[in-house]
Amino acid sequence: GAVVSQHPSRVICKSGTSVKIECRSLDFQATTMFWYRQFPKQSLMLMATSNEGSKATYEQGVEKDKFLINHASLTLSTLTVTSAHPEDSSFYICSARTEETRNQPQHFGDGTRLSIL
Amino acid sequence: GQQLNQSPQSMFIQEGEDVSMNCTSSSIFNTWLWYKQDPGEGPVLLIALYKAGELTSNGRLTAQFGITRKDSFLNISASIPSDVGIYFCAGPFYNTNAGKSTFGDGTTLTVKP
């Protein structure tokens, strides 16, 4: 159980393009989803927390107009990188957790490798 | 912000050896989580700890939630080549909201056959 699917796994596109990444919880209802960014050989950096039906909470220094998050249902959250530039190239990972029982851990998707040319 | 100090940063060991890594914090945790990340993939949950003093095993892996609630260790016994990867500790702090977790910087494990 606790499977999280992330799509696409890899994106290569030109500078100025907007890219949408989907995160789905396949076998549980995700009351909360998280979006992370990871640079090579570094830890996961939390970008934002999203709860179903409400606006995402962004971490300090993350541009909300640049990284649009939508959590329209209990099984789907999307991250859109708007007008992407080479410095946005990174590994983006989502995670999801349920609050149906207390202290449930996050379960992660397999990540999306974004490369902006 | 609050931080986790994870050590060692990297380890190079021979197949069959035991491994130990740990995380400490100046803040109290109410949950400790250990994840493993393979290259190009997302982290996979290995062990979740919920009570101070709790000792939990998952196959060759053993982890403990420190009595002070400020530390945890992960042991791997009889390492094999597929144990290679990056191991992260993580956890929500006591009285935190939103279920956010903070992650350690990771321990990169290399196992020589």
Side-chain angles (χ1 to χ4, degrees):
Chain A
V3 177
V4 176
S5 173
Q6 189 171 338
H7 179 79
S9 58
R10 186 175 181 102
V11 180
I12 302 172
C13 57
K14 293 181 180 179
S15 185
T17 307
S18 291
V19 178
K20 180 185 280 189
I21 303 170
E22 293 187 348
C23 182
R24 294 180 185 273
S25 57
L26 298 186
D27 54 358
F28 67 101
Q29 293 191 324
T31 43
T32 309
M33 286 185 169
F34 304 88
W35 287 95
Y36 294 84
R37 184 172 181 175
Q38 186 178 34
F39 292 105
K41 301 192 178 185
Q42 292 190 21
S43 188
L44 289 79
M45 289 174 40
L46 181 65
M47 299 174 66
T49 303
S50 75
N51 293 292
E52 184 263 340
S54 61
K55 288 185 179 179
T57 303
Y58 289 80
E59 295 298 302
Q60 192 172 10
V62 178
E63 300 175 58
K64 55 184 69 176
D65 294 333
K66 174 76 171 177
F67 299 100
L68 300 178
I69 291 171
N70 184 277
H71 192 161
S73 76
L74 283 171
T75 59
L76 174 64
S77 176
T78 61
L79 167 68
T80 301
V81 183
T82 61
S83 187
H85 292 285
E87 59 266 28
D88 297 323
S89 299
S90 191
F91 192 52
Y92 292 86
I93 314 174
C94 72
S95 71
R97 65 185 294 270
T98 181
E99 294 184 9
E100 292 173 356
T101 52
R102 287 187 63 198
N103 292 331
Q104 287 299 303
Q106 298 176 36
H107 295 278
F108 287 84
D110 278 340
T112 297
R113 173 73 58 193
L114 177 61
S115 301
I116 308 298
L117 306 176
Chain B
Q2 293 156 324
Q3 283 188 314
L4 290 179
N5 299 309
Q6 186 171 350
S7 65
Q9 186 175 24
S10 61
M11 301 182 76
F12 296 83
I13 62 170
Q14 288 291 139
E15 182 177 359
E17 290 183 359
D18 297 342
V19 171
S20 185
M21 59 192 80
N22 69 83
C23 275
T24 61
S25 174
S26 58
S27 302
I28 293 174
F29 277 58
N30 57 22
T31 303
W32 278 99
L33 307 168
W34 284 94
Y35 291 88
K36 181 193 177 200
Q37 185 178 28
D38 291 328
E41 298 183 13
V44 173
L45 182 67
L46 299 174
I47 292 179
L49 303 162
Y50 298 106
K51 292 183 185 177
E54 180 181 353
L55 182 70
T56 297
S57 293
N58 178 6
R60 292 178 295 107
L61 278 60
T62 302
Q64 183 159 32
F65 193 146
I67 289 290
T68 64
R69 305 180 78 111
K70 294 183 179 181
D71 64 310
S72 176
F73 71 73
L74 173 70
N75 288 343
I76 305 173
S77 62
S79 59
I80 58 177
S82 61
D83 290 334
V84 165
I86 305 176
Y87 292 79
F88 292 103
C89 61
F93 296 101
Y94 187 70
N95 280 340
T96 191
N97 56 15
K100 293 198 300 186
S101 290
T102 296
F103 284 78
D105 285 339
T107 295
T108 300
L109 179 64
T110 303
V111 179
K112 301 175 191 174

Short mmCIF file of all heavy atoms in Angstrom, two decimals, chain A residues 32 34 36 38 42-44 46 49 59 91 93 97 99 103-111 113, chain B residues 30-31 33 35 37 40-45 48 50 86 88 92 98-101 103-106:
data_model
loop_
_atom_site.label_atom_id
_atom_site.label_comp_id
_atom_site.label_asym_id
_atom_site.label_seq_id
_atom_site.Cartn_x
_atom_site.Cartn_y
_atom_site.Cartn_z
N THR A 32 -2.66 15.62 2.55
CA THR A 32 -1.58 16.58 2.38
C THR A 32 -0.56 16.04 1.38
O THR A 32 -0.21 14.87 1.43
CB THR A 32 -0.86 16.85 3.72
OG1 THR A 32 -1.82 17.16 4.72
CG2 THR A 32 0.14 17.99 3.59
N PHE A 34 3.28 17.17 -0.53
CA PHE A 34 4.44 18.04 -0.40
C PHE A 34 5.24 18.01 -1.70
O PHE A 34 5.32 16.98 -2.37
CB PHE A 34 5.36 17.56 0.73
CG PHE A 34 4.68 17.44 2.07
CD1 PHE A 34 4.04 16.28 2.44
CD2 PHE A 34 4.69 18.50 2.96
CE1 PHE A 34 3.40 16.16 3.68
CE2 PHE A 34 4.08 18.39 4.21
CZ PHE A 34 3.43 17.22 4.56
N TYR A 36 9.07 18.80 -3.22
CA TYR A 36 10.47 19.01 -2.87
C TYR A 36 11.29 19.24 -4.14
O TYR A 36 10.92 18.82 -5.23
CB TYR A 36 11.04 17.79 -2.15
CG TYR A 36 10.46 17.49 -0.79
CD1 TYR A 36 9.28 16.76 -0.67
CD2 TYR A 36 11.10 17.91 0.37
CE1 TYR A 36 8.75 16.46 0.58
CE2 TYR A 36 10.57 17.62 1.62
CZ TYR A 36 9.41 16.89 1.71
OH TYR A 36 8.89 16.61 2.96
N GLN A 38 15.46 18.78 -5.28
CA GLN A 38 16.71 18.19 -4.83
C GLN A 38 17.80 18.44 -5.86
O GLN A 38 17.66 18.04 -7.02
CB GLN A 38 16.54 16.68 -4.60
CG GLN A 38 17.75 16.01 -3.98
CD GLN A 38 17.53 14.53 -3.74
OE1 GLN A 38 16.84 13.86 -4.51
NE2 GLN A 38 18.12 14.01 -2.67
N GLN A 42 22.60 16.54 -2.70
CA GLN A 42 22.06 17.31 -1.59
C GLN A 42 20.78 16.67 -1.07
O GLN A 42 20.22 15.76 -1.68
CB GLN A 42 21.80 18.75 -2.02
CG GLN A 42 23.05 19.53 -2.32
CD GLN A 42 22.78 21.00 -2.51
OE1 GLN A 42 21.77 21.53 -2.06
NE2 GLN A 42 23.70 21.69 -3.18
N SER A 43 20.35 17.18 0.07
CA SER A 43 19.13 16.66 0.67
C SER A 43 17.90 17.24 -0.02
O SER A 43 18.02 18.05 -0.95
CB SER A 43 19.11 16.99 2.16
OG SER A 43 18.04 16.34 2.79
N LEU A 44 16.74 16.82 0.42
CA LEU A 44 15.49 17.32 -0.14
C LEU A 44 15.17 18.67 0.48
O LEU A 44 15.23 18.84 1.69
CB LEU A 44 14.34 16.35 0.16
CG LEU A 44 14.34 15.03 -0.59
CD1 LEU A 44 15.31 14.04 0.01
CD2 LEU A 44 12.94 14.44 -0.61
N LEU A 46 12.18 21.29 0.96
CA LEU A 46 10.73 21.45 0.85
C LEU A 46 10.42 22.77 0.17
O LEU A 46 10.92 23.82 0.56
CB LEU A 46 10.09 21.41 2.23
CG LEU A 46 8.58 21.55 2.27
CD1 LEU A 46 7.89 20.37 1.59
CD2 LEU A 46 8.08 21.67 3.72
N THR A 49 3.73 22.97 0.78
CA THR A 49 2.80 21.99 1.33
C THR A 49 1.42 22.31 0.79
O THR A 49 0.99 23.48 0.83
CB THR A 49 2.76 22.09 2.87
OG1 THR A 49 4.07 21.91 3.38
CG2 THR A 49 1.82 21.06 3.46
N GLU A 59 7.33 27.56 1.23
CA GLU A 59 8.45 27.82 2.12
C GLU A 59 9.11 29.15 1.73
O GLU A 59 8.98 29.64 0.60
CB GLU A 59 9.48 26.70 2.03
CG GLU A 59 8.95 25.36 2.53
CD GLU A 59 8.54 25.39 3.99
OE1 GLU A 59 9.41 25.71 4.84
OE2 GLU A 59 7.36 25.10 4.27
N PHE A 91 15.79 18.06 -9.79
CA PHE A 91 14.99 16.86 -9.55
C PHE A 91 13.86 17.26 -8.61
O PHE A 91 14.11 17.72 -7.49
CB PHE A 91 15.89 15.78 -8.93
CG PHE A 91 15.29 14.40 -8.88
CD1 PHE A 91 14.76 13.81 -10.01
CD2 PHE A 91 15.30 13.67 -7.70
CE1 PHE A 91 14.23 12.53 -9.97
CE2 PHE A 91 14.77 12.38 -7.65
CZ PHE A 91 14.24 11.81 -8.78
N ILE A 93 10.48 16.21 -6.50
CA ILE A 93 9.87 15.01 -5.92
C ILE A 93 8.63 15.42 -5.12
O ILE A 93 8.68 16.40 -4.36
CB ILE A 93 10.83 14.28 -4.96
CG1 ILE A 93 12.22 14.14 -5.58
CG2 ILE A 93 10.28 12.91 -4.59
CD1 ILE A 93 13.24 13.55 -4.62
N ARG A 97 0.73 12.18 2.22
CA ARG A 97 0.42 11.49 3.46
C ARG A 97 -1.06 11.64 3.73
O ARG A 97 -1.72 12.56 3.24
CB ARG A 97 1.24 12.04 4.63
CG ARG A 97 0.94 13.47 5.00
CD ARG A 97 1.89 13.97 6.09
NE ARG A 97 1.71 13.29 7.35
CZ ARG A 97 0.88 13.68 8.32
NH1 ARG A 97 0.13 14.77 8.14
NH2 ARG A 97 0.78 13.02 9.44
N GLU A 99 -4.08 11.76 6.80
CA GLU A 99 -4.26 12.06 8.22
C GLU A 99 -5.45 11.29 8.77
O GLU A 99 -6.04 11.68 9.78
CB GLU A 99 -4.41 13.57 8.42
CG GLU A 99 -3.12 14.28 8.05
CD GLU A 99 -3.17 15.77 8.31
OE1 GLU A 99 -4.15 16.22 8.92
OE2 GLU A 99 -2.25 16.46 7.87
N ASN A 103 0.08 10.60 12.81
CA ASN A 103 1.51 10.40 12.61
C ASN A 103 1.84 9.51 11.42
O ASN A 103 2.82 8.78 11.45
CB ASN A 103 2.15 9.79 13.87
CG ASN A 103 2.16 10.78 15.01
OD1 ASN A 103 2.22 11.98 14.79
ND2 ASN A 103 2.09 10.29 16.22
N GLN A 104 1.06 9.57 10.38
CA GLN A 104 1.39 8.81 9.19
C GLN A 104 2.59 9.44 8.49
O GLN A 104 2.67 10.66 8.35
CB GLN A 104 0.19 8.77 8.23
CG GLN A 104 -0.92 7.87 8.71
CD GLN A 104 -0.45 6.43 8.82
OE1 GLN A 104 0.02 5.85 7.87
NE2 GLN A 104 -0.56 5.87 10.02
N PRO A 105 3.55 8.62 8.04
CA PRO A 105 4.71 9.17 7.35
C PRO A 105 4.37 9.57 5.92
O PRO A 105 3.35 9.16 5.37
CB PRO A 105 5.70 8.01 7.36
CG PRO A 105 4.84 6.79 7.38
CD PRO A 105 3.64 7.16 8.19
N GLN A 106 5.24 10.35 5.33
CA GLN A 106 5.11 10.70 3.91
C GLN A 106 5.60 9.54 3.05
O GLN A 106 6.55 8.84 3.40
CB GLN A 106 5.97 11.92 3.59
CG GLN A 106 5.60 13.17 4.34
CD GLN A 106 6.55 14.29 4.04
OE1 GLN A 106 7.04 14.46 2.92
NE2 GLN A 106 6.83 15.10 5.04
N HIS A 107 4.93 9.37 1.92
CA HIS A 107 5.37 8.40 0.92
C HIS A 107 5.68 9.17 -0.36
O HIS A 107 4.89 10.03 -0.77
CB HIS A 107 4.30 7.34 0.70
CG HIS A 107 4.06 6.51 1.92
ND1 HIS A 107 4.86 5.45 2.25
CD2 HIS A 107 3.14 6.64 2.91
CE1 HIS A 107 4.42 4.92 3.40
NE2 HIS A 107 3.40 5.63 3.82
N PHE A 108 6.79 8.84 -0.98
CA PHE A 108 7.30 9.64 -2.09
C PHE A 108 7.02 9.04 -3.45
O PHE A 108 6.97 7.82 -3.62
CB PHE A 108 8.82 9.82 -1.95
CG PHE A 108 9.21 10.76 -0.85
CD1 PHE A 108 9.31 10.31 0.45
CD2 PHE A 108 9.45 12.10 -1.12
CE1 PHE A 108 9.66 11.18 1.48
CE2 PHE A 108 9.80 12.98 -0.11
CZ PHE A 108 9.90 12.51 1.19
N GLY A 109 6.88 9.93 -4.44
CA GLY A 109 6.88 9.53 -5.83
C GLY A 109 8.31 9.28 -6.28
O GLY A 109 9.26 9.47 -5.51
N ASP A 110 8.48 8.87 -7.53
CA ASP A 110 9.81 8.55 -8.04
C ASP A 110 10.56 9.75 -8.59
O ASP A 110 11.67 9.61 -9.08
CB ASP A 110 9.71 7.46 -9.13
CG ASP A 110 9.59 6.08 -8.54
OD1 ASP A 110 9.98 5.92 -7.36
OD2 ASP A 110 9.12 5.18 -9.24
N GLY A 111 9.94 10.93 -8.53
CA GLY A 111 10.66 12.13 -8.93
C GLY A 111 10.55 12.43 -10.41
O GLY A 111 10.25 11.56 -11.24
N ARG A 113 12.84 14.45 -13.32
CA ARG A 113 14.10 15.14 -13.68
C ARG A 113 13.77 16.19 -14.72
O ARG A 113 13.37 15.87 -15.83
CB ARG A 113 15.10 14.13 -14.25
CG ARG A 113 16.38 14.73 -14.80
CD ARG A 113 17.29 15.21 -13.72
NE ARG A 113 17.66 14.15 -12.78
CZ ARG A 113 18.25 14.35 -11.61
NH1 ARG A 113 18.55 15.58 -11.24
NH2 ARG A 113 18.56 13.34 -10.84
N ASN B 30 8.51 14.07 17.53
CA ASN B 30 7.48 13.12 17.93
C ASN B 30 7.43 11.90 17.03
O ASN B 30 6.73 10.93 17.31
CB ASN B 30 6.10 13.79 18.01
CG ASN B 30 5.68 14.44 16.72
OD1 ASN B 30 6.17 14.10 15.66
ND2 ASN B 30 4.77 15.39 16.81
N THR B 31 8.18 11.94 15.93
CA THR B 31 8.31 10.80 15.03
C THR B 31 9.69 10.86 14.38
O THR B 31 10.15 11.93 14.03
CB THR B 31 7.24 10.84 13.91
OG1 THR B 31 5.94 10.88 14.49
CG2 THR B 31 7.35 9.63 13.00
N LEU B 33 11.77 9.10 11.13
CA LEU B 33 11.60 8.30 9.92
C LEU B 33 12.97 8.08 9.28
O LEU B 33 13.81 8.98 9.27
CB LEU B 33 10.67 9.02 8.93
CG LEU B 33 9.32 9.48 9.48
CD1 LEU B 33 8.63 10.41 8.50
CD2 LEU B 33 8.44 8.27 9.78
N TYR B 35 14.58 6.88 5.57
CA TYR B 35 14.33 6.63 4.16
C TYR B 35 15.63 6.25 3.46
O TYR B 35 16.72 6.64 3.87
CB TYR B 35 13.79 7.89 3.46
CG TYR B 35 12.41 8.33 3.84
CD1 TYR B 35 12.21 9.19 4.93
CD2 TYR B 35 11.30 7.92 3.12
CE1 TYR B 35 10.93 9.62 5.26
CE2 TYR B 35 10.02 8.36 3.45
CZ TYR B 35 9.85 9.20 4.52
OH TYR B 35 8.58 9.63 4.85
N GLN B 37 17.23 6.40 -0.56
CA GLN B 37 17.03 6.90 -1.91
C GLN B 37 18.07 6.30 -2.85
O GLN B 37 19.27 6.44 -2.62
CB GLN B 37 17.12 8.43 -1.94
CG GLN B 37 16.80 9.03 -3.30
CD GLN B 37 16.85 10.54 -3.31
OE1 GLN B 37 17.57 11.16 -2.55
NE2 GLN B 37 16.08 11.17 -4.20
N GLY B 40 18.31 8.69 -8.91
CA GLY B 40 17.25 8.98 -9.87
C GLY B 40 15.87 8.55 -9.44
O GLY B 40 14.94 8.57 -10.25
N GLU B 41 15.71 8.20 -8.16
CA GLU B 41 14.40 7.78 -7.67
C GLU B 41 14.02 8.57 -6.43
O GLU B 41 14.83 9.28 -5.84
CB GLU B 41 14.40 6.28 -7.36
CG GLU B 41 14.68 5.43 -8.59
CD GLU B 41 14.59 3.94 -8.29
OE1 GLU B 41 14.09 3.58 -7.21
OE2 GLU B 41 15.03 3.15 -9.15
N GLY B 42 12.76 8.42 -6.03
CA GLY B 42 12.33 9.07 -4.81
C GLY B 42 12.69 8.24 -3.59
O GLY B 42 12.96 7.04 -3.69
N PRO B 43 12.72 8.85 -2.41
CA PRO B 43 13.03 8.10 -1.18
C PRO B 43 11.96 7.07 -0.87
O PRO B 43 10.78 7.29 -1.12
CB PRO B 43 13.06 9.19 -0.10
CG PRO B 43 13.26 10.48 -0.85
CD PRO B 43 12.57 10.29 -2.16
N VAL B 44 12.41 5.96 -0.32
CA VAL B 44 11.51 4.89 0.09
C VAL B 44 11.59 4.75 1.61
O VAL B 44 12.68 4.70 2.17
CB VAL B 44 11.89 3.56 -0.59
CG1 VAL B 44 11.06 2.41 -0.04
CG2 VAL B 44 11.73 3.67 -2.10
N LEU B 45 10.44 4.69 2.25
CA LEU B 45 10.41 4.57 3.71
C LEU B 45 10.93 3.20 4.14
O LEU B 45 10.48 2.17 3.65
CB LEU B 45 8.98 4.76 4.21
CG LEU B 45 8.80 4.71 5.73
CD1 LEU B 45 9.48 5.90 6.41
CD2 LEU B 45 7.31 4.68 6.09
N ALA B 48 9.69 3.56 10.49
CA ALA B 48 9.06 4.69 11.16
C ALA B 48 9.03 4.40 12.66
O ALA B 48 8.67 3.30 13.07
CB ALA B 48 7.64 4.91 10.64
N TYR B 50 7.79 5.85 16.55
CA TYR B 50 6.77 6.74 17.10
C TYR B 50 6.89 7.00 18.59
O TYR B 50 6.23 7.91 19.10
CB TYR B 50 5.39 6.18 16.79
CG TYR B 50 5.09 6.08 15.32
CD1 TYR B 50 5.09 4.84 14.67
CD2 TYR B 50 4.83 7.21 14.56
CE1 TYR B 50 4.82 4.75 13.31
CE2 TYR B 50 4.57 7.12 13.19
CZ TYR B 50 4.57 5.89 12.58
OH TYR B 50 4.31 5.80 11.24
N ILE B 86 21.54 6.51 -0.69
CA ILE B 86 21.60 7.59 0.29
C ILE B 86 20.50 7.36 1.32
O ILE B 86 19.34 7.15 0.96
CB ILE B 86 21.40 8.97 -0.37
CG1 ILE B 86 22.41 9.17 -1.49
CG2 ILE B 86 21.56 10.08 0.68
CD1 ILE B 86 22.21 10.47 -2.25
N PHE B 88 18.38 8.83 4.50
CA PHE B 88 17.96 10.08 5.12
C PHE B 88 17.17 9.79 6.39
O PHE B 88 16.30 8.92 6.41
CB PHE B 88 17.05 10.89 4.20
CG PHE B 88 17.72 11.45 2.98
CD1 PHE B 88 17.56 10.85 1.75
CD2 PHE B 88 18.50 12.60 3.07
CE1 PHE B 88 18.17 11.36 0.61
CE2 PHE B 88 19.11 13.12 1.94
CZ PHE B 88 18.95 12.50 0.71
N PRO B 92 8.86 14.99 11.86
CA PRO B 92 8.19 16.20 12.30
C PRO B 92 8.58 16.51 13.75
O PRO B 92 8.75 15.61 14.57
CB PRO B 92 6.71 15.83 12.22
CG PRO B 92 6.67 14.36 12.36
CD PRO B 92 7.98 13.84 11.87
N ALA B 98 0.85 20.70 10.14
CA ALA B 98 0.90 20.40 8.71
C ALA B 98 1.64 19.10 8.38
O ALA B 98 1.76 18.75 7.22
CB ALA B 98 1.53 21.54 7.91
N GLY B 99 2.13 18.39 9.40
CA GLY B 99 2.80 17.13 9.12
C GLY B 99 4.08 17.25 8.35
O GLY B 99 4.57 16.29 7.79
N LYS B 100 4.66 18.47 8.30
CA LYS B 100 5.90 18.66 7.56
C LYS B 100 7.03 17.90 8.22
O LYS B 100 7.09 17.80 9.44
CB LYS B 100 6.30 20.14 7.53
CG LYS B 100 5.37 21.01 6.74
CD LYS B 100 6.03 22.34 6.38
CE LYS B 100 6.44 23.14 7.58
NZ LYS B 100 6.93 24.48 7.18
N SER B 101 7.92 17.37 7.41
CA SER B 101 9.11 16.72 7.93
C SER B 101 10.34 17.50 7.50
O SER B 101 10.38 18.07 6.43
CB SER B 101 9.22 15.29 7.40
OG SER B 101 8.24 14.45 7.96
N PHE B 103 14.42 17.00 6.78
CA PHE B 103 15.31 15.91 6.41
C PHE B 103 16.75 16.22 6.78
O PHE B 103 17.20 17.37 6.68
CB PHE B 103 15.23 15.66 4.90
CG PHE B 103 13.99 14.93 4.50
CD1 PHE B 103 12.77 15.60 4.41
CD2 PHE B 103 14.00 13.57 4.24
CE1 PHE B 103 11.61 14.93 4.07
CE2 PHE B 103 12.84 12.90 3.89
CZ PHE B 103 11.65 13.57 3.81
N GLY B 104 17.46 15.17 7.21
CA GLY B 104 18.90 15.30 7.37
C GLY B 104 19.57 15.42 6.02
O GLY B 104 18.93 15.27 4.98
N ASP B 105 20.87 15.67 6.04
CA ASP B 105 21.61 15.84 4.79
C ASP B 105 21.94 14.52 4.10
O ASP B 105 22.47 14.53 2.99
CB ASP B 105 22.90 16.62 5.04
CG ASP B 105 22.62 18.10 5.26
OD1 ASP B 105 21.53 18.56 4.84
OD2 ASP B 105 23.46 18.79 5.86
N GLY B 106 21.67 13.41 4.76
CA GLY B 106 21.87 12.12 4.12
C GLY B 106 23.22 11.49 4.42
O GLY B 106 24.21 12.18 4.68
#
